[in-house]
Amino acid sequence: MEFKAIVDVKARDAADCAVVGVYEQGDLGVAARQIDAQTGGLIGKLHANGDFAGKVADVLLLPAPAGTAAARLLLVGLGPRAGFGRKQYRKALQAAAQAVGKTGAASATVYLALEDLADLDIGYRARVVAEVFCVNAYKVPDLKTAPKPKASKLHRVSVATDTARAARAATDGLTAGEAIGSGIALARDLGNLPPNVCTPTYLGNRALQLAKEWPSIKAKAIGEAGIRALKMGAFLAVTQGSEQPPRLIVCEYRGAKRSVAPICLVGKGITFDSGGISLKDPPAMDEMKFDMCGAATVLGALRAVAELKLPINLVVVIASCENMPSGTAVKPADIVTTMSGQTVEILNTDAEGRLVLCDAITYARRFKPAAVIDVATLTGACIIALGHHFSGLMSNDDALAAELAAAGVRADDRAWTLPIGDEYVEQLKSNFADIANVGGREGGACTAASFLWKFAKDLNWAHLDIAGTAWLSGSQKGSTGRPVPLLVDFLINRAGAK
Ligand code: BES
Ligand code: MN
Ligand code: ZN
C-alpha cells in the first residue's frame, strides 16, 4: 500500500492540511485554541456566525488561513466535550479522512490525538488514525471499463503528539493501524472479486503469494487427492457437485519459539454458495460470492500479524470450495463420514459451511493449538438475531469469549455472545447418522455453532458468525473486511500477554 503514516513529534504545520478538532458550542480543541489565537479569533468567529457548529463529523475546509503554516485547515466537529470518547474520535477521523482525501493535499497532520481521551493511550489513538485513513483510501477492484476517477493525492498522515515519549508510542500505533488497514484491504479485495475469478484455486494461490511476500509465513494448498487422503468426507461432499477443484489452504506463521502453542484461525472459504441441490432463491444469490469472507479475513489477519512481526505462532486453515448443484452433487439424505469419524446426515445441502468447517477444525488439532477460532459467514439466522452490527460469538470457554468480545470493543468491530449447548445439539438428532447438519429454523445460528462444537470438544474454541458483518448490500454492496480489526486486536493482546 502506498499510503504512509508517520508521526510528527513537533506537530509542524508544514503538512498540506492540518486537521483540528472543535467541540460543540464554540468549545475549541487543543490545537484549534492555538490556531484561533494565531488567526485573531477566526474559529471563534465561524462559530459565532453559525458557520460551524462542531457536531460530531461536521467538517469545514479553510484555505491557508493567515498566521498559520498549513496550506489548508480542516475543522472537524467532535460533539460536546463531555461526550467525547472512542466512538466520537473514530467518527470524527472518518469524516476528516474523507474530506482531506477530496482536497489536493498530499499530506495531513492530525491533531485530534491531543484531545482529552481519558483511558485511550496514545498508541491506540495513533493506531485508529492510521487505520481510518488507510480504510478511506481503499478502492474496490472493479472491472469497469470507463476511465478511473483520479486517485486521491493524499499519501501521508502524521499524528501530532506533545512529548518524545508519546511520539514513540504513536509510531508503534501507526504501524499497527497501517498493518490492520492492509489486512482489511486484502480481505476486502478477495471478498469483492467475482466468483469466476476468486475460485478455491485462486485463494490458494493468493495464500502462496502471501508466503512469498512474508518469509515468516509458510503456506500450502492441498488439492482434492490430499483432502481425500485426509478422509475429510464432509468437505468432499460439499465440493463434489462443482467443476472447480477444492483447496485446503494451510499457512503457518512463526513469530515465537517452536515450543509455543499456536493460535489457529479457521476460515470458511465457499467461493460461491448456490445452496447446492437445496438451491437458494434467486434474489441476492450474487451475494453468495461473499461466502468466502471467513477465509479472506483470516488471511487478512495473518498478513497483519506478519507485517507487525508479532511474537506469537499462528496457523491459518481454510477449507475452500464451491457449493453447486449438479448430477454429481451431494443430495439431501446423503450420509458422510467426517475426518473425526463422526457420521453426518446431510438433510440440507445449503448448510454446507458447517460441513467444510468441521473437517477443518479436526485438521487443526494436529497443531496442538492454544486456541482455535473459526470465522464463517455461517447462517442467515445470525443476521436475524443480531442484524448487521455485531458478529455472533460462540465459545466453549467463557474467558476466550470475553477476550474476543473485548477485542471487538477496542477495535470497533464488535461481537455479541450467543449460546451453544446440548439443547441445540438435541435439535440436530438424526435417525440414521451421529448427527444431522440442520436443526430447524429456531435458533439457527446456535444450532450451527453447536454442530461445530461437537467437533471442537477438548479444544479451546470460539466461533465467529460473520454473516451479518462481512459485507454490505444495496448501493453500498461490498465486503467490509470485518472481523480483521477484532482478530488483529485479539492477537496483538495475546502477543503482549506473553
Ligand atoms: N452462506 C450461508 C449463510 C448466509 C445466508 C449468510 C445469507 C449470509 C446471508 C449458509 O451456507 C447457509 O446457506 N445457511 C443456511 C442454513 C440453513 C439451511 C440451516 C441459512 O442460513 O439459510
Ligand atoms: Mn449455504
Ligand atoms: Zn454458505
Side-chain angles (χ1 to χ4, degrees), residues 138 180-193 203 206 290 292-301 303 470 479-485:
Y138 178 79
I180 294 168
S182 303
I184 292 172
L186 171 61
R188 290 178 73 179
D189 274 353
L190 293 174
N192 285 329
L193 284 170
L203 270 185
R206 286 297 293 262
F290 294 118
M292 36 56 69
C293 282
T297 51
V298 296
L299 285 176
R303 189 199 185 285
S479 75
T480 60
R482 291 179 68 181
V484 170

PDB file of all heavy atoms in Angstrom, residues 138 180-193 203 206 290 292-301 303 470 479-485:
ATOM      1  N   TYR A 138      -9.152   2.946   0.485  1.00  0.00           N
ATOM      2  CA  TYR A 138      -9.445   1.691  -0.226  1.00  0.00           C
ATOM      3  C   TYR A 138     -10.299   1.919  -1.463  1.00  0.00           C
ATOM      4  O   TYR A 138     -11.274   2.664  -1.432  1.00  0.00           O
ATOM      5  CB  TYR A 138     -10.168   0.703   0.707  1.00  0.00           C
ATOM      6  CG  TYR A 138     -10.539  -0.590   0.005  1.00  0.00           C
ATOM      7  CD1 TYR A 138      -9.573  -1.562  -0.204  1.00  0.00           C
ATOM      8  CD2 TYR A 138     -11.824  -0.799  -0.473  1.00  0.00           C
ATOM      9  CE1 TYR A 138      -9.892  -2.745  -0.877  1.00  0.00           C
ATOM     10  CE2 TYR A 138     -12.153  -1.983  -1.143  1.00  0.00           C
ATOM     11  CZ  TYR A 138     -11.190  -2.947  -1.337  1.00  0.00           C
ATOM     12  OH  TYR A 138     -11.502  -4.099  -1.994  1.00  0.00           O
ATOM     13  N   ILE A 180      -3.238  -3.207  10.116  1.00  0.00           N
ATOM     14  CA  ILE A 180      -4.658  -3.570  10.161  1.00  0.00           C
ATOM     15  C   ILE A 180      -5.339  -3.096   8.871  1.00  0.00           C
ATOM     16  O   ILE A 180      -6.089  -3.841   8.245  1.00  0.00           O
ATOM     17  CB  ILE A 180      -5.350  -2.960  11.405  1.00  0.00           C
ATOM     18  CG1 ILE A 180      -4.778  -3.599  12.683  1.00  0.00           C
ATOM     19  CG2 ILE A 180      -6.862  -3.145  11.349  1.00  0.00           C
ATOM     20  CD1 ILE A 180      -5.163  -2.871  13.965  1.00  0.00           C
ATOM     21  N   GLY A 181      -5.014  -1.876   8.459  1.00  0.00           N
ATOM     22  CA  GLY A 181      -5.586  -1.327   7.221  1.00  0.00           C
ATOM     23  C   GLY A 181      -5.245  -2.190   6.009  1.00  0.00           C
ATOM     24  O   GLY A 181      -6.099  -2.444   5.149  1.00  0.00           O
ATOM     25  N   SER A 182      -3.999  -2.660   5.940  1.00  0.00           N
ATOM     26  CA  SER A 182      -3.594  -3.509   4.809  1.00  0.00           C
ATOM     27  C   SER A 182      -4.285  -4.866   4.875  1.00  0.00           C
ATOM     28  O   SER A 182      -4.646  -5.439   3.838  1.00  0.00           O
ATOM     29  CB  SER A 182      -2.078  -3.722   4.806  1.00  0.00           C
ATOM     30  OG  SER A 182      -1.420  -2.482   4.752  1.00  0.00           O
ATOM     31  N   GLY A 183      -4.458  -5.385   6.093  1.00  0.00           N
ATOM     32  CA  GLY A 183      -5.158  -6.660   6.266  1.00  0.00           C
ATOM     33  C   GLY A 183      -6.610  -6.542   5.842  1.00  0.00           C
ATOM     34  O   GLY A 183      -7.159  -7.425   5.177  1.00  0.00           O
ATOM     35  N   ILE A 184      -7.233  -5.426   6.214  1.00  0.00           N
ATOM     36  CA  ILE A 184      -8.620  -5.168   5.816  1.00  0.00           C
ATOM     37  C   ILE A 184      -8.712  -5.081   4.289  1.00  0.00           C
ATOM     38  O   ILE A 184      -9.597  -5.666   3.670  1.00  0.00           O
ATOM     39  CB  ILE A 184      -9.146  -3.862   6.458  1.00  0.00           C
ATOM     40  CG1 ILE A 184      -9.279  -4.021   7.979  1.00  0.00           C
ATOM     41  CG2 ILE A 184     -10.477  -3.446   5.839  1.00  0.00           C
ATOM     42  CD1 ILE A 184      -9.619  -2.726   8.709  1.00  0.00           C
ATOM     43  N   ALA A 185      -7.759  -4.370   3.688  1.00  0.00           N
ATOM     44  CA  ALA A 185      -7.780  -4.186   2.229  1.00  0.00           C
ATOM     45  C   ALA A 185      -7.649  -5.530   1.509  1.00  0.00           C
ATOM     46  O   ALA A 185      -8.358  -5.787   0.522  1.00  0.00           O
ATOM     47  CB  ALA A 185      -6.657  -3.243   1.802  1.00  0.00           C
ATOM     48  N   LEU A 186      -6.771  -6.395   2.013  1.00  0.00           N
ATOM     49  CA  LEU A 186      -6.611  -7.722   1.400  1.00  0.00           C
ATOM     50  C   LEU A 186      -7.924  -8.508   1.498  1.00  0.00           C
ATOM     51  O   LEU A 186      -8.404  -9.083   0.515  1.00  0.00           O
ATOM     52  CB  LEU A 186      -5.480  -8.498   2.095  1.00  0.00           C
ATOM     53  CG  LEU A 186      -5.349  -9.972   1.692  1.00  0.00           C
ATOM     54  CD1 LEU A 186      -5.047 -10.114   0.208  1.00  0.00           C
ATOM     55  CD2 LEU A 186      -4.276 -10.685   2.528  1.00  0.00           C
ATOM     56  N   ALA A 187      -8.516  -8.488   2.700  1.00  0.00           N
ATOM     57  CA  ALA A 187      -9.765  -9.235   2.905  1.00  0.00           C
ATOM     58  C   ALA A 187     -10.873  -8.680   2.009  1.00  0.00           C
ATOM     59  O   ALA A 187     -11.645  -9.439   1.406  1.00  0.00           O
ATOM     60  CB  ALA A 187     -10.180  -9.174   4.375  1.00  0.00           C
ATOM     61  N   ARG A 188     -10.942  -7.366   1.903  1.00  0.00           N
ATOM     62  CA  ARG A 188     -11.999  -6.764   1.081  1.00  0.00           C
ATOM     63  C   ARG A 188     -11.798  -7.084  -0.394  1.00  0.00           C
ATOM     64  O   ARG A 188     -12.755  -7.401  -1.107  1.00  0.00           O
ATOM     65  CB  ARG A 188     -12.038  -5.245   1.301  1.00  0.00           C
ATOM     66  CG  ARG A 188     -12.548  -4.878   2.687  1.00  0.00           C
ATOM     67  CD  ARG A 188     -12.530  -3.380   2.914  1.00  0.00           C
ATOM     68  NE  ARG A 188     -13.573  -2.687   2.167  1.00  0.00           N
ATOM     69  CZ  ARG A 188     -13.771  -1.370   2.230  1.00  0.00           C
ATOM     70  NH1 ARG A 188     -12.985  -0.613   3.009  1.00  0.00           N
ATOM     71  NH2 ARG A 188     -14.734  -0.814   1.545  1.00  0.00           N
ATOM     72  N   ASP A 189     -10.548  -7.002  -0.853  1.00  0.00           N
ATOM     73  CA  ASP A 189     -10.252  -7.334  -2.255  1.00  0.00           C
ATOM     74  C   ASP A 189     -10.708  -8.748  -2.584  1.00  0.00           C
ATOM     75  O   ASP A 189     -11.400  -8.980  -3.583  1.00  0.00           O
ATOM     76  CB  ASP A 189      -8.744  -7.219  -2.524  1.00  0.00           C
ATOM     77  CG  ASP A 189      -8.333  -5.804  -2.896  1.00  0.00           C
ATOM     78  OD1 ASP A 189      -9.228  -4.952  -3.075  1.00  0.00           O
ATOM     79  OD2 ASP A 189      -7.119  -5.548  -3.004  1.00  0.00           O
ATOM     80  N   LEU A 190     -10.327  -9.705  -1.744  1.00  0.00           N
ATOM     81  CA  LEU A 190     -10.680 -11.103  -2.011  1.00  0.00           C
ATOM     82  C   LEU A 190     -12.190 -11.276  -2.005  1.00  0.00           C
ATOM     83  O   LEU A 190     -12.760 -11.979  -2.843  1.00  0.00           O
ATOM     84  CB  LEU A 190     -10.031 -12.017  -0.973  1.00  0.00           C
ATOM     85  CG  LEU A 190      -8.496 -12.100  -1.028  1.00  0.00           C
ATOM     86  CD1 LEU A 190      -7.957 -12.925   0.139  1.00  0.00           C
ATOM     87  CD2 LEU A 190      -8.027 -12.684  -2.359  1.00  0.00           C
ATOM     88  N   GLY A 191     -12.863 -10.610  -1.048  1.00  0.00           N
ATOM     89  CA  GLY A 191     -14.315 -10.721  -0.961  1.00  0.00           C
ATOM     90  C   GLY A 191     -15.010 -10.098  -2.164  1.00  0.00           C
ATOM     91  O   GLY A 191     -16.005 -10.634  -2.658  1.00  0.00           O
ATOM     92  N   ASN A 192     -14.485  -8.980  -2.631  1.00  0.00           N
ATOM     93  CA  ASN A 192     -15.152  -8.249  -3.705  1.00  0.00           C
ATOM     94  C   ASN A 192     -14.968  -8.867  -5.088  1.00  0.00           C
ATOM     95  O   ASN A 192     -15.770  -8.624  -5.991  1.00  0.00           O
ATOM     96  CB  ASN A 192     -14.655  -6.794  -3.730  1.00  0.00           C
ATOM     97  CG  ASN A 192     -15.242  -5.973  -2.584  1.00  0.00           C
ATOM     98  OD1 ASN A 192     -16.360  -6.227  -2.152  1.00  0.00           O
ATOM     99  ND2 ASN A 192     -14.483  -5.002  -2.094  1.00  0.00           N
ATOM    100  N   LEU A 193     -13.904  -9.639  -5.266  1.00  0.00           N
ATOM    101  CA  LEU A 193     -13.655 -10.240  -6.580  1.00  0.00           C
ATOM    102  C   LEU A 193     -14.828 -11.140  -6.978  1.00  0.00           C
ATOM    103  O   LEU A 193     -15.451 -11.766  -6.132  1.00  0.00           O
ATOM    104  CB  LEU A 193     -12.361 -11.074  -6.544  1.00  0.00           C
ATOM    105  CG  LEU A 193     -11.061 -10.282  -6.565  1.00  0.00           C
ATOM    106  CD1 LEU A 193      -9.877 -11.206  -6.288  1.00  0.00           C
ATOM    107  CD2 LEU A 193     -10.876  -9.568  -7.900  1.00  0.00           C
ATOM    108  N   LEU A 203      -7.723 -18.568  -4.418  1.00  0.00           N
ATOM    109  CA  LEU A 203      -7.468 -18.300  -2.990  1.00  0.00           C
ATOM    110  C   LEU A 203      -6.178 -18.988  -2.538  1.00  0.00           C
ATOM    111  O   LEU A 203      -5.369 -18.411  -1.812  1.00  0.00           O
ATOM    112  CB  LEU A 203      -8.633 -18.805  -2.130  1.00  0.00           C
ATOM    113  CG  LEU A 203      -9.786 -17.858  -1.829  1.00  0.00           C
ATOM    114  CD1 LEU A 203     -10.758 -18.535  -0.866  1.00  0.00           C
ATOM    115  CD2 LEU A 203      -9.287 -16.539  -1.222  1.00  0.00           C
ATOM    116  N   ARG A 206      -3.251 -17.108  -3.805  1.00  0.00           N
ATOM    117  CA  ARG A 206      -3.012 -15.869  -3.055  1.00  0.00           C
ATOM    118  C   ARG A 206      -2.321 -16.170  -1.723  1.00  0.00           C
ATOM    119  O   ARG A 206      -1.484 -15.386  -1.250  1.00  0.00           O
ATOM    120  CB  ARG A 206      -4.332 -15.129  -2.801  1.00  0.00           C
ATOM    121  CG  ARG A 206      -4.890 -14.433  -4.045  1.00  0.00           C
ATOM    122  CD  ARG A 206      -4.007 -13.333  -4.590  1.00  0.00           C
ATOM    123  NE  ARG A 206      -3.893 -12.179  -3.712  1.00  0.00           N
ATOM    124  CZ  ARG A 206      -4.604 -11.067  -3.834  1.00  0.00           C
ATOM    125  NH1 ARG A 206      -5.487 -10.954  -4.798  1.00  0.00           N
ATOM    126  NH2 ARG A 206      -4.426 -10.072  -2.980  1.00  0.00           N
ATOM    127  N   PHE A 290     -19.660 -13.728  -1.448  1.00  0.00           N
ATOM    128  CA  PHE A 290     -19.005 -13.294  -0.205  1.00  0.00           C
ATOM    129  C   PHE A 290     -18.904 -14.433   0.818  1.00  0.00           C
ATOM    130  O   PHE A 290     -18.487 -14.199   1.950  1.00  0.00           O
ATOM    131  CB  PHE A 290     -19.796 -12.143   0.436  1.00  0.00           C
ATOM    132  CG  PHE A 290     -19.803 -10.872  -0.368  1.00  0.00           C
ATOM    133  CD1 PHE A 290     -20.995 -10.335  -0.851  1.00  0.00           C
ATOM    134  CD2 PHE A 290     -18.619 -10.196  -0.627  1.00  0.00           C
ATOM    135  CE1 PHE A 290     -21.012  -9.158  -1.568  1.00  0.00           C
ATOM    136  CE2 PHE A 290     -18.626  -9.012  -1.356  1.00  0.00           C
ATOM    137  CZ  PHE A 290     -19.828  -8.496  -1.834  1.00  0.00           C
ATOM    138  N   MET A 292     -16.917 -16.599   1.131  1.00  0.00           N
ATOM    139  CA  MET A 292     -15.514 -16.938   1.451  1.00  0.00           C
ATOM    140  C   MET A 292     -14.888 -15.849   2.318  1.00  0.00           C
ATOM    141  O   MET A 292     -13.670 -15.774   2.452  1.00  0.00           O
ATOM    142  CB  MET A 292     -14.681 -17.156   0.171  1.00  0.00           C
ATOM    143  CG  MET A 292     -14.987 -16.288  -1.021  1.00  0.00           C
ATOM    144  SD  MET A 292     -14.877 -14.532  -0.684  1.00  0.00           S
ATOM    145  CE  MET A 292     -13.112 -14.397  -0.452  1.00  0.00           C
ATOM    146  N   CYS A 293     -15.721 -14.979   2.900  1.00  0.00           N
ATOM    147  CA  CYS A 293     -15.173 -13.863   3.677  1.00  0.00           C
ATOM    148  C   CYS A 293     -14.480 -14.327   4.962  1.00  0.00           C
ATOM    149  O   CYS A 293     -13.565 -13.657   5.452  1.00  0.00           O
ATOM    150  CB  CYS A 293     -16.255 -12.828   3.984  1.00  0.00           C
ATOM    151  SG  CYS A 293     -16.589 -11.779   2.543  1.00  0.00           S
ATOM    152  N   GLY A 294     -14.900 -15.459   5.509  1.00  0.00           N
ATOM    153  CA  GLY A 294     -14.175 -16.011   6.663  1.00  0.00           C
ATOM    154  C   GLY A 294     -12.732 -16.297   6.271  1.00  0.00           C
ATOM    155  O   GLY A 294     -11.785 -15.914   6.969  1.00  0.00           O
ATOM    156  N   ALA A 295     -12.569 -16.936   5.113  1.00  0.00           N
ATOM    157  CA  ALA A 295     -11.226 -17.238   4.601  1.00  0.00           C
ATOM    158  C   ALA A 295     -10.451 -15.943   4.338  1.00  0.00           C
ATOM    159  O   ALA A 295      -9.270 -15.809   4.711  1.00  0.00           O
ATOM    160  CB  ALA A 295     -11.333 -18.058   3.321  1.00  0.00           C
ATOM    161  N   ALA A 296     -11.117 -14.985   3.701  1.00  0.00           N
ATOM    162  CA  ALA A 296     -10.449 -13.727   3.351  1.00  0.00           C
ATOM    163  C   ALA A 296      -9.970 -12.993   4.602  1.00  0.00           C
ATOM    164  O   ALA A 296      -8.866 -12.432   4.623  1.00  0.00           O
ATOM    165  CB  ALA A 296     -11.409 -12.837   2.561  1.00  0.00           C
ATOM    166  N   THR A 297     -10.789 -13.007   5.653  1.00  0.00           N
ATOM    167  CA  THR A 297     -10.421 -12.230   6.841  1.00  0.00           C
ATOM    168  C   THR A 297      -9.329 -12.928   7.669  1.00  0.00           C
ATOM    169  O   THR A 297      -8.519 -12.242   8.282  1.00  0.00           O
ATOM    170  CB  THR A 297     -11.645 -11.925   7.725  1.00  0.00           C
ATOM    171  OG1 THR A 297     -12.365 -13.122   7.994  1.00  0.00           O
ATOM    172  CG2 THR A 297     -12.566 -10.932   7.035  1.00  0.00           C
ATOM    173  N   VAL A 298      -9.301 -14.257   7.680  1.00  0.00           N
ATOM    174  CA  VAL A 298      -8.193 -14.893   8.400  1.00  0.00           C
ATOM    175  C   VAL A 298      -6.878 -14.675   7.647  1.00  0.00           C
ATOM    176  O   VAL A 298      -5.821 -14.523   8.269  1.00  0.00           O
ATOM    177  CB  VAL A 298      -8.443 -16.391   8.727  1.00  0.00           C
ATOM    178  CG1 VAL A 298      -9.623 -16.542   9.668  1.00  0.00           C
ATOM    179  CG2 VAL A 298      -8.619 -17.237   7.489  1.00  0.00           C
ATOM    180  N   LEU A 299      -6.953 -14.580   6.314  1.00  0.00           N
ATOM    181  CA  LEU A 299      -5.741 -14.242   5.550  1.00  0.00           C
ATOM    182  C   LEU A 299      -5.338 -12.793   5.818  1.00  0.00           C
ATOM    183  O   LEU A 299      -4.146 -12.476   5.936  1.00  0.00           O
ATOM    184  CB  LEU A 299      -5.954 -14.461   4.047  1.00  0.00           C
ATOM    185  CG  LEU A 299      -5.959 -15.916   3.562  1.00  0.00           C
ATOM    186  CD1 LEU A 299      -6.273 -15.976   2.068  1.00  0.00           C
ATOM    187  CD2 LEU A 299      -4.619 -16.606   3.844  1.00  0.00           C
ATOM    188  N   GLY A 300      -6.319 -11.909   5.913  1.00  0.00           N
ATOM    189  CA  GLY A 300      -6.033 -10.500   6.222  1.00  0.00           C
ATOM    190  C   GLY A 300      -5.375 -10.351   7.587  1.00  0.00           C
ATOM    191  O   GLY A 300      -4.418  -9.592   7.754  1.00  0.00           O
ATOM    192  N   ALA A 301      -5.884 -11.111   8.557  1.00  0.00           N
ATOM    193  CA  ALA A 301      -5.300 -11.065   9.903  1.00  0.00           C
ATOM    194  C   ALA A 301      -3.877 -11.620   9.884  1.00  0.00           C
ATOM    195  O   ALA A 301      -2.968 -11.067  10.514  1.00  0.00           O
ATOM    196  CB  ALA A 301      -6.172 -11.858  10.877  1.00  0.00           C
ATOM    197  N   ARG A 303      -1.783 -11.594   7.397  1.00  0.00           N
ATOM    198  CA  ARG A 303      -0.907 -10.603   6.771  1.00  0.00           C
ATOM    199  C   ARG A 303      -0.510  -9.519   7.776  1.00  0.00           C
ATOM    200  O   ARG A 303       0.651  -9.120   7.845  1.00  0.00           O
ATOM    201  CB  ARG A 303      -1.630  -9.963   5.574  1.00  0.00           C
ATOM    202  CG  ARG A 303      -0.724  -9.095   4.736  1.00  0.00           C
ATOM    203  CD  ARG A 303      -1.491  -8.123   3.855  1.00  0.00           C
ATOM    204  NE  ARG A 303      -0.574  -7.392   2.987  1.00  0.00           N
ATOM    205  CZ  ARG A 303       0.212  -6.397   3.404  1.00  0.00           C
ATOM    206  NH1 ARG A 303       0.180  -6.010   4.666  1.00  0.00           N
ATOM    207  NH2 ARG A 303       1.032  -5.793   2.561  1.00  0.00           N
ATOM    208  N   ALA A 470     -19.833  -9.234   7.396  1.00  0.00           N
ATOM    209  CA  ALA A 470     -18.725  -9.370   6.431  1.00  0.00           C
ATOM    210  C   ALA A 470     -18.902  -8.515   5.179  1.00  0.00           C
ATOM    211  O   ALA A 470     -17.930  -8.158   4.524  1.00  0.00           O
ATOM    212  CB  ALA A 470     -18.553 -10.832   6.036  1.00  0.00           C
ATOM    213  N   SER A 479     -17.500  -5.911   0.401  1.00  0.00           N
ATOM    214  CA  SER A 479     -17.071  -6.537   1.648  1.00  0.00           C
ATOM    215  C   SER A 479     -16.506  -5.486   2.597  1.00  0.00           C
ATOM    216  O   SER A 479     -15.986  -4.452   2.168  1.00  0.00           O
ATOM    217  CB  SER A 479     -16.067  -7.654   1.371  1.00  0.00           C
ATOM    218  OG  SER A 479     -14.831  -7.106   1.056  1.00  0.00           O
ATOM    219  N   THR A 480     -16.637  -5.751   3.884  1.00  0.00           N
ATOM    220  CA  THR A 480     -16.233  -4.766   4.901  1.00  0.00           C
ATOM    221  C   THR A 480     -14.842  -5.039   5.481  1.00  0.00           C
ATOM    222  O   THR A 480     -14.243  -4.165   6.093  1.00  0.00           O
ATOM    223  CB  THR A 480     -17.208  -4.794   6.091  1.00  0.00           C
ATOM    224  OG1 THR A 480     -17.182  -6.123   6.659  1.00  0.00           O
ATOM    225  CG2 THR A 480     -18.624  -4.454   5.656  1.00  0.00           C
ATOM    226  N   GLY A 481     -14.377  -6.267   5.339  1.00  0.00           N
ATOM    227  CA  GLY A 481     -13.107  -6.630   5.978  1.00  0.00           C
ATOM    228  C   GLY A 481     -13.279  -7.066   7.430  1.00  0.00           C
ATOM    229  O   GLY A 481     -12.326  -7.490   8.078  1.00  0.00           O
ATOM    230  N   ARG A 482     -14.497  -6.969   7.958  1.00  0.00           N
ATOM    231  CA  ARG A 482     -14.739  -7.455   9.314  1.00  0.00           C
ATOM    232  C   ARG A 482     -14.694  -8.982   9.326  1.00  0.00           C
ATOM    233  O   ARG A 482     -15.179  -9.597   8.394  1.00  0.00           O
ATOM    234  CB  ARG A 482     -16.113  -6.972   9.831  1.00  0.00           C
ATOM    235  CG  ARG A 482     -16.142  -5.483  10.073  1.00  0.00           C
ATOM    236  CD  ARG A 482     -17.488  -5.022  10.547  1.00  0.00           C
ATOM    237  NE  ARG A 482     -17.797  -5.510  11.901  1.00  0.00           N
ATOM    238  CZ  ARG A 482     -18.935  -5.253  12.546  1.00  0.00           C
ATOM    239  NH1 ARG A 482     -19.872  -4.521  11.982  1.00  0.00           N
ATOM    240  NH2 ARG A 482     -19.140  -5.714  13.761  1.00  0.00           N
ATOM    241  N   PRO A 483     -14.154  -9.632  10.344  1.00  0.00           N
ATOM    242  CA  PRO A 483     -13.641  -9.078  11.596  1.00  0.00           C
ATOM    243  C   PRO A 483     -12.106  -9.000  11.668  1.00  0.00           C
ATOM    244  O   PRO A 483     -11.524  -9.350  12.692  1.00  0.00           O
ATOM    245  CB  PRO A 483     -14.153 -10.089  12.614  1.00  0.00           C
ATOM    246  CG  PRO A 483     -14.014 -11.408  11.876  1.00  0.00           C
ATOM    247  CD  PRO A 483     -14.192 -11.100  10.407  1.00  0.00           C
ATOM    248  N   VAL A 484     -11.444  -8.515  10.601  1.00  0.00           N
ATOM    249  CA  VAL A 484      -9.981  -8.358  10.681  1.00  0.00           C
ATOM    250  C   VAL A 484      -9.584  -7.485  11.883  1.00  0.00           C
ATOM    251  O   VAL A 484      -8.690  -7.856  12.649  1.00  0.00           O
ATOM    252  CB  VAL A 484      -9.397  -7.777   9.362  1.00  0.00           C
ATOM    253  CG1 VAL A 484      -7.944  -7.382   9.537  1.00  0.00           C
ATOM    254  CG2 VAL A 484      -9.529  -8.791   8.233  1.00  0.00           C
ATOM    255  N   PRO A 485     -10.246  -6.329  12.117  1.00  0.00           N
ATOM    256  CA  PRO A 485      -9.828  -5.490  13.257  1.00  0.00           C
ATOM    257  C   PRO A 485      -9.937  -6.232  14.594  1.00  0.00           C
ATOM    258  O   PRO A 485      -9.028  -6.149  15.426  1.00  0.00           O
ATOM    259  CB  PRO A 485     -10.794  -4.305  13.195  1.00  0.00           C
ATOM    260  CG  PRO A 485     -11.238  -4.241  11.769  1.00  0.00           C
ATOM    261  CD  PRO A 485     -11.305  -5.665  11.308  1.00  0.00           C
TER     262      PRO A 485
END
